[in-house]
Amino acid sequence: MVKTAEDNDIPWNKALDWISKGSGQDWEASLSQATDPTTATPAYYRAPFHAYLQGGNLCWDAAWEQELAGKAVGQRNFPGNGPGNAGEEAFRSAFEAALESLGCRVPSKPGSLVVDLGCGTGTSTRRLASRIPGPGVTFLGLDLSPHFVAVAKFLQGRAAASEVEQEVAWVEPLTADARVAFSHRDAAVTRLEPGSAALVNMDLIAHELTPEASKEIFMEAHRILEPGGELWVNEMDFNTPGFSDLRANPLLFSLIRATEPYLDMYADYQASGELIEDLFSCGFDTVRIAAATGRHFALVATKPPDGDKPQKKKRRVLDDGVLTQAGSTASPTPTSKRGSQKRRGDIFPPRVLGWPRGAKGGAKGG
């Protein structure tokens, strides 16, 4: 991973040295400030994620290196788009383009809250904020790792520093945004008020969960969403040839599984359609799905306009990427078609987002 980064002009070693030692940050004090003692750590979260054998996500190395690894994975997934952050930019832009194709609704009303579950050190939260304008919209990133939250808060503070103070060796520009906040909480127990969020985002975290944990988080997302609010899920698609072939290769898949302890569970959960079933059983009445890359999908699940009213019908319809509660059954797998039934409303403005079309890459997974 380090070699991939350094070979593609991602200054892994320099950035890691700066954030861990050269930034002048008192990390133990930051950890104490970031930790919410009322947030319990579920057993599944203590697994050795991403080969961090001593602590998994609950250690400094994982927190300091998360954004560096993200840039390196972007280069592996999307080679040929240029050096540095270009691979990750193409990767994330592919999900955004897929969400846009599904007619996702972007909050714009003053007082709207966007909740980013499993935000890590804040990459996805900061990106959402940069893509969604409006002084009245606020963003809350939640993560179970107080180490990740401490780094997210630190980077947010650096973004507010002067240009001279920002001349540091981090791997992407940091932009100050007072609308963004981070907190140490369980995505399944956010402690937010019912109906308080206009949008809930889950960006590449379901494959790091047990199916039971995913369903608990879907239930919590539904609870905190306002009527008509949306849950966005970006994830791996094990119904694609790329991932199904990879899983059929015991040696290669064992290498990936060594860093992702629940990947086998997720593969069965997603490919079988149980993930979609759980979204419906948690109260969402419409699910839109589109292929994002050759191995990933984007999904928009909508809470009914009448909120928590029980749904009487549990059958599915798949029509050009749109699944609903009523009708004939069909296989709930992502489709390469772009959803033709776009909803009117506050769709992502292309002039604000500038999402690129036809980015190179996407055939390699991760």
Side-chain angles (χ1 to χ4, degrees):
M1 191 74 74
V2 177
K3 187 176 187 304
T4 296
E6 295 288 350
D7 287 349
N8 287 279
D9 295 333
I10 301 166
W12 181 297
N13 293 314
K14 184 179 178 182
L16 178 59
D17 184 68
W18 172 75
I19 197 169
S20 61
K21 303 173 186 175
S23 62
Q25 184 76 352
D26 183 341
W27 284 112
E28 291 310 312
S30 298
L31 180 63
S32 178
Q33 293 170 4
T35 301
D36 182 342
T38 67
T39 296
T41 303
Y44 80 83
Y45 198 73
R46 299 185 183 277
F49 292 98
H50 305 141
Y52 295 106
L53 302 180
Q54 303 299 319
N57 287 338
L58 300 169
C59 72
W60 284 122
D61 286 341
W64 291 331
E65 294 178 348
Q66 187 189 56
E67 296 193 21
L68 312 182
K71 304 293 183 288
V73 169
Q75 284 291 350
R76 288 184 176 180
N77 279 327
F78 279 77
N81 284 278
N85 299 346
E88 185 185 39
E89 177 64 29
F91 187 44
R92 291 186 179 275
S93 293
F95 287 112
E96 292 167 345
L99 288 168
E100 183 184 16
S101 78
L102 294 172
C104 62
R105 296 186 8 170
V106 178
S108 61
K109 294 188 305 181
S112 294
L113 173 65
V114 175
V115 180
D116 188 22
L117 301 178
C119 68
T121 57
T123 300
S124 53
T125 317
R126 298 194 305 266
R127 190 175 180 95
L128 282 168
S130 73
R131 296 314 197 252
I132 301 177
V137 182
T138 57
F139 301 81
L140 177 61
L142 305 180
D143 203 275
L144 261 172
S145 170
H147 298 76
F148 286 1
V149 172
V151 170
K153 288 175 174 285
F154 165 74
L155 292 174
Q156 184 185 33
R158 294 299 301 186
S162 68
E163 287 189 22
V164 174
E165 291 176 310
Q166 270 213 52
E167 289 297 320
V168 296
W170 198 232
V171 288
E172 69 177 24
L174 299 170
T175 302
D177 194 332
R179 302 174 303 157
V180 177
F182 298 98
S183 186
H184 171 219
R185 300 187 202 176
D186 186 346
V189 191
T190 66
R191 303 198 297 276
L192 296 173
E193 291 296 319
S196 59
L199 168 64
V200 175
N201 184 61
M202 291 177 62
D203 194 31
L204 294 167
I205 68 166
H207 70 274
E208 297 187 355
L209 303 169
T210 64
E212 294 78 14
S214 288
K215 185 172 183 179
E216 289 178 1
I217 292 172
F218 294 158
M219 291 178 66
E220 179 70 352
H222 182 273
R223 185 188 72 82
I224 65 174
L225 278 170
E226 64 187 23
E230 293 181 345
L231 168 66
W232 297 353
V233 179
N234 297 324
E235 257 306 344
M236 298 178 181
D237 183 2
F238 274 85
N239 284 309
T240 59
F243 271 129
S244 59
D245 290 349
L246 179 64
R247 196 182 186 198
N249 186 319
L251 177 60
L252 289 178
F253 196 66
S254 67
L255 296 176
I256 298 176
R257 192 171 49 199
T259 67
E260 300 286 2
Y262 305 116
L263 196 58
D264 255 336
M265 290 185 189
Y266 169 78
D268 289 337
Y269 180 57
Q270 182 266 323
S272 67
E274 188 178 353
L275 184 153
I276 302 296
E277 292 285 0
D278 279 352
L279 286 168
F280 285 139
S281 69
C282 290
F284 294 96
D285 72 340
T286 302
V287 176
R288 293 169 169 81
I289 310 172
T293 76
R295 295 187 176 190
H296 302 82
F297 67 86
L299 175 156
V300 177
T302 307
K303 184 172 180 175
D306 52 2
D308 297 317
K309 185 178 179 180
Q311 299 295 310
K312 295 180 179 180
K313 297 182 180 180
K314 297 297 182 182
R315 292 181 293 170
R316 302 184 299 260
V317 172
L318 178 60
D319 181 11
D320 198 20
V322 180
L323 294 126
T324 62
Q325 285 280 22
S328 59
T329 59
S331 174
T333 56
T335 173
S336 60
K337 298 178 183 179
R338 296 305 190 191
S340 61
Q341 300 183 22
K342 289 190 178 182
R343 292 163 46 180
R344 301 296 180 186
D346 298 321
I347 308 302
F348 271 125
R351 64 182 181 280
V352 173
L353 295 166
W355 290 343
R357 302 298 186 187
K360 298 178 182 178
K364 296 181 181 180

